[in-house]
Amino acid sequence: MFCHRRALIIQPGALGDGIVTLPLGRLLLEQGGVDAVEIMGRADNLGFLAGRSVFSRVMSLEGTGLQRLFEDHDSFDVPEGDRLVDLLKPYEKIVTFLSDEAGHFERNLFYVANMTSATDVYSLQLRPDTNFGGHVSEYFLSQLAEQFFWPRMKIQGGLLAGPFWNSDSDEGVLGKYGIEGRAVILAPGSGGANKCWPLANFLEMAGRLEAEGFVPVFVLGPVEEEKWVNGEIETLTAAGKVLRGLAVGELAEILRNCAGYAGNDSGLSHLAGICEVLGVVIFGKSNWQHWRPLGNTLAVCVGQDGGWPGVDEVVKTLKPSQ
């Protein structure tokens, strides 16, 4: 069916940022008066969500020309029929996480989006301050609700409850990646080194899981491929099976079919959350209340006084399916 009323979310962040935007998409779809919600961001990270989530379409930011919207608003202009006009005119509502301190981007975005039709534009902040006590998804929802166009928007209820992604589960999919048995995915990396539980702890946990009859499988992302230069990858390869260079959609397939998951505060943990795999996410100094994964299957293990939890505590919290 053709969708006459569409909303667009401009989300330039990494994998985890895109995933925690899903409740915002649900709010727009359920209460925003639109028939479809699309997202523009890093399509290599979020493409697997198209048509299987509240996002009917995922578009890449690259090559859109949106960088022009950062120009000084006082001198900014585009002719009617410009490619930016064509890009934005289908949308009745646009929510952007792209912005600049002077406000040029938001004003230029509003100007272009309203050249051919009336479009509401909302500019949201991506990072809550330390005083915010809820989840980052709730921060997005509350910002949108506070803007005067929708003063009565209801953000309570099941907006943060799953499922967020619809995909069939195929138990035989693990064989494609050479995995046999009850696999537990261990993700020892993260975008920030200060978010990484010591690698030695992951190795010890892998040994304990193997002793219990599970198959520990280490998964590395592009950050680890780029930044781990001191033998970390070689250490993991010597200890067990390591998966490298997989696309996000492939990782999702694996996570949907494994017995358990353990990882740091990372995009992969957010992916595991919407894949509904049983497991644990390990937090040190980062704010677990803000950044815990969506869904109800991943427990959170937090160290005391900003330190790391011990191996015993993490293994006890990790309860893979039998």
Side-chain angles (χ1 to χ4, degrees), residues 40-304:
M40 181 185 295
R42 299 178 58 175
D44 57 333
N45 281 340
L46 302 178
F48 75 100
L49 291 171
R52 290 181 169 178
S53 70
V54 293
F55 301 138
S56 60
R57 183 184 179 202
V58 176
M59 295 177 289
S60 175
L61 266 171
E62 295 183 10
T64 60
L66 283 186
Q67 70 274 8
R68 293 165 53 195
L69 300 180
F70 287 103
E71 296 175 9
D72 191 306
H73 180 68
D74 293 334
S75 58
F76 178 79
D77 194 19
V78 292
E80 189 172 344
D82 185 278
R83 61 178 300 197
L84 277 178
V85 179
D86 291 337
L87 177 71
L88 300 175
K89 69 181 180 182
Y91 302 105
E92 185 172 297
K93 290 179 170 62
I94 299 177
V95 178
T96 178
F97 289 94
L98 266 181
S99 63
D100 62 288
E101 195 170 326
H104 295 303
F105 184 92
E106 182 182 358
R107 284 182 286 172
N108 291 337
L109 176 63
F110 183 85
Y111 172 72
V112 176
N114 282 274
M115 288 185 69
T116 57
S117 60
T119 301
D120 296 334
V121 175
Y122 309 92
S123 183
L124 307 187
Q125 297 297 313
L126 189 58
R127 299 285 182 263
D129 60 39
T130 55
N131 295 323
F132 184 76
H135 192 272
V136 65
S137 295
E138 294 174 306
Y139 180 62
F140 299 163
L141 299 176
S142 64
Q143 288 182 83
L144 192 57
E146 287 169 4
Q147 297 196 28
F148 69 91
F149 286 104
W150 296 342
R152 297 181 180 177
M153 180 170 287
K154 298 178 181 179
I155 62 173
Q156 296 80 20
L159 290 171
L160 268 67
F164 293 100
W165 174 51
N166 302 315
S167 176
D168 296 331
S169 183
D170 177 9
E171 295 182 0
V173 76
L174 296 181
K176 290 168 49 179
Y177 304 95
I179 302 172
E180 297 181 1
R182 295 175 295 164
V184 176
I185 302 302
L186 304 180
S190 180
N194 63 330
K195 297 180 180 181
C196 294
W197 199 44
L199 191 60
N201 291 352
F202 274 102
L203 292 168
E204 181 178 343
M205 181 166 57
R208 295 193 189 187
L209 289 168
E210 195 168 18
E212 294 178 12
F214 293 98
V215 179
V217 179
F218 297 100
V219 171
L220 304 182
V223 173
E224 294 76 64
E225 296 279 4
E226 178 183 351
K227 295 185 177 180
W228 282 9
V229 295
N230 297 315
E232 295 94 340
I233 295 177
E234 289 77 8
T235 298
L236 292 178
T237 303
K241 187 169 185 59
V242 177
L243 297 179
R244 304 169 59 178
L246 297 182
V248 175
E250 293 176 303
L251 291 171
E253 276 190 324
I254 292 169
L255 288 166
R256 289 280 288 181
N257 291 280
C258 67
Y261 171 86
N264 299 309
D265 174 16
S266 67
L268 187 54
S269 291
H270 286 288
L271 179 63
I274 65 169
C275 287
E276 301 180 304
V277 57
L278 295 173
V280 59
V281 182
I282 308 157
F283 281 84
K285 294 183 178 180
S286 53
N287 191 319
W288 69 269
Q289 290 179 307
H290 289 176
W291 296 106
R292 69 187 186 278
L294 295 170
N296 302 311
T297 61
L298 292 180
V300 170
C301 200
V302 184
Q304 299 297 318

